[in-house]
Amino acid sequence: MKKLAFFVMVLSLLLPAQAVPADTPVKGGGITVCQPAEPPGLDPTANTAAAIDRVVYSNIYEGLIKVNSQGEFTPGLATKWEVSPDGKIYTFHLRKGVTFHNGEPFTAQTAKWNIERAKNEGTTNPHPEYFRGIMNI
């Protein structure tokens, strides 16, 4: 009996498994996502809670550039940008006509202030190391 069970087990491992064809992805429609944690606030630089990043990035906030599904940099609040040949100077051209929820305009000063805030000593930003290489703004 043990030999028969062993033979059946070996035979089942040697037989090719029946392939199940994958469905072709369909674009459009909707998705409902359950967020397991509520963020303690909406400022991603004020707390290390990962729930903030998951909720606010691309839903509430927009960066100068984005990364698309192919890993390519695409315009966000910057319509285009140039990088110096030595890779040390980045020049961003900002989208015109952008305002905050209170009607205040988004400007180069606004972008500068946010970067300086994120890199300053004593920042509560959970990843100040991302900004340490920035010398001048």
Side-chain angles (χ1 to χ4, degrees):
M1 186 65 167
K2 287 183 181 180
K3 287 183 181 182
L4 179 61
F6 179 75
F7 178 73
V8 170
M9 182 179 73
V10 170
L11 187 59
S12 68
L13 293 174
L14 295 176
L15 293 175
Q18 182 177 1
V20 177
D23 289 337
T24 303
V26 177
K27 293 186 178 196
I31 184 169
T32 302
V33 178
C34 176
Q35 177 66 26
E38 185 173 326
L42 297 178
D43 183 352
T45 65
N47 192 299
T48 60
I52 298 172
D53 297 348
R54 286 188 215 117
V55 170
V56 301
Y57 287 134
S58 296
N59 290 316
I60 298 173
Y61 299 128
E62 185 171 4
L64 294 176
I65 60 174
K66 305 174 193 179
V67 180
N68 68 17
S69 60
Q70 287 79 39
E72 301 162 332
F73 296 115
T74 61
L77 290 172
T79 57
K80 63 181 182 175
W81 55 93
E82 290 98 32
V83 181
S84 66
D86 63 2
K88 292 184 177 182
I89 299 173
Y90 289 69
T91 304
F92 293 95
H93 300 266
L94 303 181
R95 193 177 342 146
K96 296 185 185 324
V98 176
T99 58
F100 290 95
H101 69 285
N102 63 359
E104 297 257 339
F106 172 72
T107 65
Q109 275 307 113
T110 310
K112 181 180 189 246
W113 181 85
N114 276 289
I115 293 170
E116 286 174 339
R117 177 177 176 239
K119 74 182 283 305
N120 281 341
E121 289 291 324
T123 181
T124 55
N125 189 319
H127 296 287
E129 69 275 12
Y130 295 169
F131 301 90
R132 288 193 186 120
I134 299 172
M135 305 309 290
N136 296 308
I137 304 169

